């Protein structure tokens, strides 16, 4: 019987599930370990751009992932008095969907299982060795040809391997939640997202399904009143008086996360590779964290198909993919800077950034990239 290479994957998020699909589709015997009792993503909605959508297509998860989700066509930036500061219309040749996160996770999990991967929930990994040995919390030791570490920002396995180079907590963070659409919203334009600014606080309004709107409330990490959950409706109404009706629709839900930036010394050690936020978390200012995670998971499987030697394949993969990921990290951090600027300067920045072709090219380099492993590459 033909020997099938075996991969153990830690983490059932965007990174781990994409890797599971891509490897299983290429003949690997794959098992995903997710420590939670079910596949459950934190956050509420998500933007997935052309690059990430191409990966979902290649993985066979696209149709289910975008079902019922609106194509985002316009993004408005408004000030605290509801005055329009900037309008960006997405080029229709580059698709952008705003989607309920759980729907994408479910689509990836279904595609991985269809490709033959096994997903084990309630299975926590505690350590990994560069030789390909994975230790689970239940004491089981597993030897694999490849271990993929996709366990998110707080990755314990990455830290155990000594791969972390930079972990920078950024000065801002965000509360995310979903609210039900009103009758008017259900029949209205689902493709316009609006970012409202008031001082250093923001309300991002994004329709993300036929029935739900994704709300992201962004603030400085030191802003204890704004980052409290459940949110203080009284304060948010005062900061955004024109959004009173919207704020009143927010109940007790919502979760606060601080933004962070992660860089590694290397993305792999021997037969172990680190993917997704565990390897390269970035702030969400250009909505590319999951996009990068999915692209790099797919390209990793392609490199492993090209090179029989696992450590050599992982080296070649990192050399090929890391520059674009780091560019995306830099642009995303840069676009977060106006949060700390006075309102007039921020207004100037948005108007210049909105018109600058150079800025637009930097911002869309990832979106325009055709990911390795998708139809045309
Ligand atoms: C406010 C905000 C908005 C964002 N918006 C966007 C956006 O619009 N578009 C976009 O592309 N990206 C966005 N991102 C980024 C995106 O959410 C992340 O990049 C993405 O979730 C990373 O996926 P991951 O699989 O690497 O990690 P995670 O989603 O964190 O998944 C890790 C998984 O590993 C599991 N796990 C952890 N430890 C263990 C263990 N020891 N054993 C087994 N399982 C374990 C966890 O339970 C979890 O399921 C946003 C991020 C934030 C904070």
């Amino acid at each position: 019987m033909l020997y099938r290479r075996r991969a153990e994957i830690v983490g059932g998020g965007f990174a781990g599930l994409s890797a599971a699909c891509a490897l299983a589709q290429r003949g690997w015997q794959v098992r995903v370990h997710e420590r939670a009792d079910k596949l459950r993503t934190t956050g509420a909605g998500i933007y997935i751009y052309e690059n990430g959508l191409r990966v979902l297509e290649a993985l066979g998860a696209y149709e289910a992932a975008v079902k019922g989700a609106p194509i985002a066509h316009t993004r408005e930036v408004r000030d605290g008095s509801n005055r329009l500061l900037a309008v960006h219309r997405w080029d229709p040749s580059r698709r952008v969907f705003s989607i309920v996160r759980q729907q994408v996770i479910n689509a990836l999990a279904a595609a991985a299982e269809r490709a033959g991967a096994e997903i084990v929930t309630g299975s926590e990994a505690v350590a990994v060795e560069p030789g390909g040995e994975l230790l689970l919390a239940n004491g089981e030791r597993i030897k694999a040809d490849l271990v993929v570490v996709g366990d998110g920002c707080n990755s314990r396995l990455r830290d155990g391997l000594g791969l972390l180079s930079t972990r920078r907590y950024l000065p801002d963070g965000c509360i995310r939640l979903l609210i039900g659409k009103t009758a008017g919203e259900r029949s209205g334009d689902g493709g316009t997202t609006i970012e409202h600014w008031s001082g250093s606080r923001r309300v991002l309004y994004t329709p993300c399904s036929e029935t739900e709107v994704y709300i992201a409330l962004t603030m400085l990490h030191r802003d204890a009143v704004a980052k409290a959950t459940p949110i203080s409706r009284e304060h948010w109404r005062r900061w955004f008086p024109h959004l009173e009706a919207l704020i009143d629709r927010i109940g007790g839900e919502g979760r606060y996360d601080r933004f962070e930036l992660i860089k590694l010394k290397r993305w792999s050690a021997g037969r172990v590779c680190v993917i997704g936020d565990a390897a390269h978390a970035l702030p969400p200012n250009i909505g590319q964290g999951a996009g990068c995670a999915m692209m790099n998971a797919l390209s990793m499987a392609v490199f492993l198909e090209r090179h029989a030697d696992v450590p050599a394949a992982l080296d070649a993969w990192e050399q090929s993919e890391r520059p674009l990921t780091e560019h995306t990290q830099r642009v995303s951090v840069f676009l977060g800077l106006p949060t700390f600027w006075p309102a007039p300067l921020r207004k100037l920045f948005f108007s210049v950034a909105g018109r600058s072709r150079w800025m637009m090219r930097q911002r869309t380099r990832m979106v325009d990239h055709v990911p390795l492993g998708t139809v045309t590459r």
Side-chain angles (χ1 to χ4, degrees):
M1 208 175 87
L2 206 62
Y3 174 72
R4 284 177 73 205
R5 295 198 286 179
R6 179 165 163 187
E8 300 287 335
I9 298 179
V10 180
F14 288 92
L17 292 172
S18 301
C21 289
L23 290 167
Q25 286 171 350
R26 286 164 180 75
W28 288 69
Q29 193 182 333
V30 176
R31 182 162 47 177
V32 179
H33 300 270
E34 167 53 51
R35 74 173 166 196
D37 56 358
K38 56 181 182 181
L39 297 177
R40 201 174 25 219
T41 170
T42 53
I46 189 158
Y47 291 89
I48 302 194
Y49 289 78
E50 183 68 32
N51 55 314
L53 296 168
R54 285 174 186 259
V55 175
L56 288 170
E57 281 167 344
L59 299 179
Y62 176 80
E63 296 297 335
V66 304
K67 191 165 187 281
I71 289 197
H73 54 71
T74 304
R75 182 178 181 118
E76 296 180 355
V77 181
R78 294 178 172 270
D79 69 10
S81 311
N82 205 19
R83 277 188 303 251
L84 196 60
L85 297 180
V87 184
H88 173 72
R89 296 195 202 287
W90 275 293
D91 169 354
S93 67
R94 302 174 179 131
R95 295 165 294 173
V96 190
F97 279 95
S98 51
I99 319 177
V100 174
R101 265 176 189 252
Q102 191 64 44
Q103 179 165 309
V104 187
I105 289 295
N106 293 348
L108 283 170
E113 285 179 330
R114 273 198 308 277
E118 182 190 357
I119 300 173
V120 190
T121 53
S123 179
E124 183 180 1
V126 291
V128 64
E129 295 290 335
E133 222 176 41
L134 181 68
L135 178 64
L136 301 181
N138 66 8
E140 196 184 340
R141 263 180 200 281
I142 310 164
K143 183 95 175 105
D145 298 289
L146 170 73
V147 179
V148 179
V149 172
D151 52 352
C153 294
N154 297 319
S155 175
R156 171 177 176 180
L157 302 191
R158 167 202 66 205
D159 293 351
L161 289 167
L163 289 177
L164 188 64
S165 150
T166 309
R167 183 169 191 181
R168 183 145 63 92
Y169 291 98
L170 298 171
D172 44 356
C174 164
I175 297 171
R176 288 169 288 171
L177 50 98
L178 294 172
I179 55 173
K181 278 187 171 174
T182 60
E185 285 168 331
R186 281 176 200 232
S187 57
D189 164 28
T192 299
T193 72
I194 310 174
E195 187 172 66
H196 301 266
W197 283 81
S198 171
S200 54
R201 305 182 184 102
R202 275 182 274 175
V203 174
L204 178 63
Y205 171 95
T206 308
C208 67
S209 77
E210 283 155 5
T211 55
E212 286 158 304
V213 178
Y214 164 38
I215 303 288
L217 308 172
T218 308
M219 67 292 293
L220 296 178
H221 181 68
R222 62 165 188 264
D223 188 346
V225 179
K227 76 177 186 189
T229 54
I231 69 155
S232 163
R233 285 205 289 250
E234 183 201 332
H235 285 91
W236 283 95
R237 277 197 296 255
R238 197 177 322 139
W239 299 325
F240 295 91
H242 63 289
L243 296 180
E244 188 174 333
L246 177 73
I247 290 159
D248 283 345
R249 287 159 60 195
I250 300 178
E253 63 278 49
R255 166 197 158 103
Y256 173 75
D257 289 288
R258 188 171 184 179
F259 301 158
E260 48 182 307
L261 182 73
I262 289 177
K263 293 192 180 179
L264 303 192
K265 293 174 196 153
R266 296 175 44 127
W267 283 2
S268 66
R271 295 181 170 277
V272 183
C273 67
V274 185
I275 58 169
D277 275 7
H280 47 65
L282 62 157
N285 303 315
I286 54 172
Q288 278 291 350
C292 286
M294 294 190 293
M295 284 193 356
N296 291 338
L298 174 57
S299 59
M300 185 249 314
V302 173
F303 274 94
L304 285 158
E305 201 174 25
R306 290 179 178 172
H307 303 257
D309 181 65
V310 171
L314 296 177
D315 275 348
W317 163 67
E318 176 175 350
Q319 273 181 40
S320 159
E321 306 300 296
R322 190 164 173 153
L324 183 58
T325 299
E326 294 200 337
H327 169 83
T328 310
Q329 289 183 300
R330 278 192 297 275
V331 173
S332 195
V333 169
F334 176 70
L335 288 171
L337 295 178
T339 309
F340 317 103
W341 297 349
L345 197 57
R346 187 185 309 135
K347 188 174 171 186
L348 181 67
F349 173 83
F350 282 130
S351 105
V352 173
R355 278 179 284 132
S356 157
R357 289 213 183 147
W358 178 84
M359 194 58 234
M360 194 53 71
R361 273 200 307 278
Q362 305 313 310
R363 200 186 164 133
T364 54
R365 195 186 293 173
M366 179 64 111
V367 177
D368 290 340
H369 175 69
V370 179
L372 191 62
T374 61
V375 274
T376 44
R377 270 186 84 196

